[in-house]
């Protein structure tokens, strides 16, 4: 039986040499892009871009679900833009929060990971949820009383959901994931949570 390496070499040998060169150049460019995007110099911009993109995706999915169920009639582009902007504010918060955690609690022992999870839930989650509602309140031109009212009515739902999703997810994050990939991992895990976030934010029912 051929080894995996021999199999790959056999497959590559069937390609046109020119195509092989193009494929090699493409892979090289992807490696260079990856190295730059996740470098310390550009990591903040990468993390913000990831958060913006997946916050938008979460709202798009939620709106499509609402249209399918007849809850809304048409797609609201402004709503998605607002959710994307909230992703920017949350992405900035999480970027610096993880840096603080890694600086104050270096290492990957079970004790360190447990401390990070507890601090993340008790400190970062409330800050992130508050920033989410405040950002959207500003974009929607709500006054302070309206924003405070919305936080009191809806924030607890998101915080309760945080406790069901993130302790286990953050164990993986803090124990196995390299620091520069943490927000990327977070956003992949949180796509479903972002759908729920959009639903809580834009659903007026208190029974959600």
């Amino acid at each position: 039986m051929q080894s995996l390496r021999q199999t790959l070499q056999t497959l590559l040998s069937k390609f046109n040499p020119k195509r092989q060169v193009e494929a090699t150049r493409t892979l090289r460019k992807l490696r260079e892009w990856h190295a730059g995007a996740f470098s310390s110099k550009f990591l903040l911009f990468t993390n913000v871009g990831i958060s913006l993109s997946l916050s938008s995706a979460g709202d798009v999915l939620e709106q499509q679900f609402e249209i399918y169920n007849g809850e809304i009639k048409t797609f609201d582009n402004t709503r998605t833009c607002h959710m994307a902007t909230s992703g920017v504010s949350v992405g900035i918060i999480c970027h610096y929060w993880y840096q603080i955690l890694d600086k104050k609690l270096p290492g990957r022992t079970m004790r360190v990971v447990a401390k990070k999870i507890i601090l993340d839930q008790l400190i970062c989650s409330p800050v992130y949820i508050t920033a989410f509602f405040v950002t959207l309140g500003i974009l929607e031109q709500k006054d302070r009383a309206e924003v405070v009212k919305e936080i009191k009515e809806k924030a607890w739902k998101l915080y309760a959901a945080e406790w069901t999703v993130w302790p286990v997810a953050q164990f993986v994050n803090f124990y196995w994931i390299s620091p520069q990939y943490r927000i990327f991992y977070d956003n992949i895990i949180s796509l479903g949570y972002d759908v729920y976030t959009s639903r809580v934010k834009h659903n007026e029912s208190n029974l959600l």
Side-chain angles (χ1 to χ4, degrees):
M1 183 181 287
Q2 288 181 314
S3 67
L4 179 60
R5 190 172 185 178
Q6 290 173 323
T7 302
L8 289 173
Q9 288 175 341
T10 301
L11 289 171
L12 286 172
S13 67
K14 296 179 181 180
F15 286 99
N16 186 296
K18 186 180 290 187
R19 290 185 177 179
Q20 290 185 43
V21 172
E22 290 175 357
T24 302
R25 286 177 181 171
T26 301
L27 287 173
R28 187 183 303 119
K29 288 179 180 178
L30 285 173
R31 289 194 199 100
E32 290 172 356
W33 174 85
H34 171 270
F38 288 93
S39 67
S40 58
K41 184 178 180 180
F42 296 108
L43 186 59
L44 173 61
F45 300 102
T46 300
N47 287 339
V48 168
I50 291 169
S51 296
L52 181 154
S53 300
L54 290 180
S55 291
S56 303
D59 184 66
V60 169
L61 291 172
E62 173 57 23
Q63 286 202 58
Q64 293 299 330
F65 178 76
E66 290 174 13
I67 291 170
Y68 177 79
N69 282 342
E71 297 174 33
I72 59 175
K73 292 182 179 180
T74 58
F75 189 88
D76 187 344
N77 289 312
T78 300
R79 168 177 155 177
T80 299
C81 288
H82 287 176
M83 290 296 291
T85 305
S86 76
V88 172
S89 61
V90 169
I92 293 171
I93 289 170
C94 291
H95 173 85
Y96 288 108
W97 170 248
Y98 285 145
Q99 287 189 345
I100 292 169
L101 274 186
D102 288 333
K103 184 177 180 179
K104 299 295 183 182
L105 295 169
R108 295 173 184 263
T109 65
M110 289 295 180
R111 182 169 183 154
V112 167
V113 170
K115 286 181 179 179
K116 285 183 175 180
I117 292 171
I118 292 170
L119 290 173
D120 189 64
Q121 290 299 114
L122 296 180
I123 298 175
C124 188
S125 288
V127 171
Y128 144 68
I129 292 170
T130 301
F132 168 76
F133 282 108
V134 169
T135 300
L136 289 173
I138 293 170
L139 293 171
E140 294 167 358
Q141 299 182 336
K142 293 182 176 180
D143 60 33
R144 182 177 178 180
E146 288 176 310
V147 173
V148 171
K149 182 175 181 289
E150 186 171 42
I151 289 173
K152 288 180 178 178
E153 290 178 351
K154 298 177 179 179
W156 68 268
K157 299 172 187 177
L158 296 182
Y159 192 54
E162 288 257 343
W163 279 98
T164 65
V165 174
W166 288 110
V168 173
Q170 291 294 56
F171 174 82
V172 174
N173 199 2
F174 294 134
Y175 192 75
W176 279 295
I177 305 298
S178 297
Q180 68 267 33
Y181 300 120
R182 285 199 176 134
I183 290 181
F184 178 69
Y185 164 83
D186 268 3
N187 278 275
I188 291 175
I189 297 296
S190 72
L191 182 57
Y193 181 79
D194 288 339
V195 172
Y196 180 71
T197 298
S198 177
R199 185 162 185 80
V200 169
K201 172 65 181 74
H202 297 102
N203 193 299
E204 298 303 321
S205 172
N206 289 325
L207 298 176
L208 187 66

